[in-house]
């Protein structure tokens, strides 16, 4: 269970397996929705050769899993109840409070398999790269996942990506204005291979 403005797990080491864990960020808000207890992010992975499997990752003000190392596997996890409370919205001290289920940047060889991501109140179930500085995700494999986040602007952002195989996923979003929906693919993305996908109310744009 996480403490205020901290993390449940900050994983800086290499060759680590985390399995069958309940990673509870213990997020709490006051009557106005301001973040007063619990973590900013549940887990950040900066080490290499890491496996996160069969874990319940939940209750954070900002992100579920930050992936910044190489050779990372996420298999059969649940990521949920991220409330989007931070500095940008004036709802807390966590920077920036744009909740993402999975945030990937400056990483390579990532496998995301069989995960369920839902109940996220801000940005996306999945965001890759960091479009302001061009930190790429390279060699992404993603299949048999369910991304169900109708309360976010976009369900999945595939932006600064070099090489991805994305198949047999359900990516479910909801149109909220002219530039919102299920999936956004940036013009910087290259070598993206997608098939057997189910997309409900999708927005493709640069």
């Amino acid at each position: 269970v996480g403490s205020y403005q901290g993390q449940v797990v900050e994983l800086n080491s290499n060759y680590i397996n985390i399995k069958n864990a309940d990673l509870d960020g213990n997020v709490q808000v006051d009557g106005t929705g301001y973040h007063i207890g619990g973590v900013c992010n549940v887990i950040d992975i900066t080490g290499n050769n890491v496996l996160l499997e069969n874990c319940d990752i939940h209750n954070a003000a900002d992100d579920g899993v930050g992936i910044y190392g190489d050779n990372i596997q996420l298999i059969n996890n649940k990521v949920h109840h991220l409330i989007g409370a931070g500095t940008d919205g004036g709802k807390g001290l966590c920077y920036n409070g744009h909740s993402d289920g999975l945030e990937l940047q400056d990483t390579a060889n990532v496998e995301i398999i069989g995960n369920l991501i839902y109940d996220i109140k801000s940005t996306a179930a999945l965001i890759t790269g960091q479009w302001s500085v061009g930190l790429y995700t390279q060699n992404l494999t993603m299949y048999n996942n369910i991304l169900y986040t109708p309360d976010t602007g976009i369900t999945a952002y595939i932006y600064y990506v070099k090489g991805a195989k994305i198949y047999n996923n359900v990516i479910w979003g909801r149109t909220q204005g002219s530039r919102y929906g299920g999936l956004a693919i940036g013009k910087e993305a290259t070598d993206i291979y997608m098939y057997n996908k189910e997309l409900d109310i999708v927005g493709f744009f640069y």
Side-chain angles (χ1 to χ4, degrees):
V1 176
S3 59
Y4 183 48
Q5 293 189 67
Q7 297 173 329
V8 181
V9 178
E10 185 174 351
L11 209 167
N12 301 319
S13 299
N14 301 326
Y15 298 99
I16 299 293
N17 294 344
I18 300 178
K19 297 183 179 182
N20 307 313
D22 182 0
L23 306 180
D24 183 357
N26 192 33
V27 71
Q28 301 160 51
V29 296
D30 64 15
T32 68
Y34 193 87
H35 177 213
I36 58 171
V39 303
C40 295
N41 302 336
V42 179
I43 177 171
D44 281 347
I45 301 171
T46 56
N48 302 321
N49 301 290
V50 171
L51 170 65
L52 190 64
E53 183 174 8
N54 292 327
C55 293
D56 192 354
I57 301 158
H58 58 108
N59 293 349
D62 196 1
D63 298 332
V65 183
I67 301 174
Y68 314 112
D70 296 339
N71 303 313
I72 310 298
Q73 291 181 300
L74 271 64
I75 301 174
N76 296 335
N77 302 286
K78 290 191 297 183
V79 182
H80 59 102
H81 193 58
L82 310 178
I83 65 173
T87 54
D88 280 10
K91 291 294 184 179
L93 299 177
C94 296
Y95 180 83
N96 49 20
H98 285 183
S99 288
D100 301 303
L102 309 179
E103 179 181 279
L104 288 70
Q105 57 176 282
D106 198 19
T107 181
N109 305 318
V110 177
E111 294 184 334
I112 301 171
I113 303 166
N115 299 277
L116 172 62
I117 304 175
Y118 66 99
D119 188 20
I120 297 175
K121 302 301 182 186
S122 187
T123 302
L126 168 74
I127 189 165
T128 61
Q130 189 60 270
W131 53 82
S132 61
V133 291
L135 298 178
Y136 278 86
T137 296
Q138 301 184 60
N139 299 326
L140 171 65
T141 300
M142 181 176 169
Y143 61 88
N144 294 349
N145 300 282
I146 298 175
L147 280 58
Y148 176 74
T149 56
D151 292 326
T152 61
I154 292 290
T155 302
Y157 286 90
I158 309 296
Y159 268 47
Y160 280 83
V161 175
K162 294 181 179 179
K165 294 181 180 179
I166 301 171
Y167 57 96
N168 295 348
N169 299 287
V170 176
I171 300 174
W172 200 101
R174 183 177 63 184
T175 299
Q176 302 175 61
S178 63
R179 292 176 64 84
Y180 294 95
L183 177 65
I185 300 177
K187 62 184 178 182
E188 301 86 359
T190 57
D191 298 320
I192 308 300
Y193 183 46
M194 300 184 70
Y195 63 95
N196 290 354
K197 54 197 178 296
E198 296 181 28
L199 305 174
D200 194 343
I201 312 180
V202 176
F204 288 95
F205 61 88
Y206 294 150

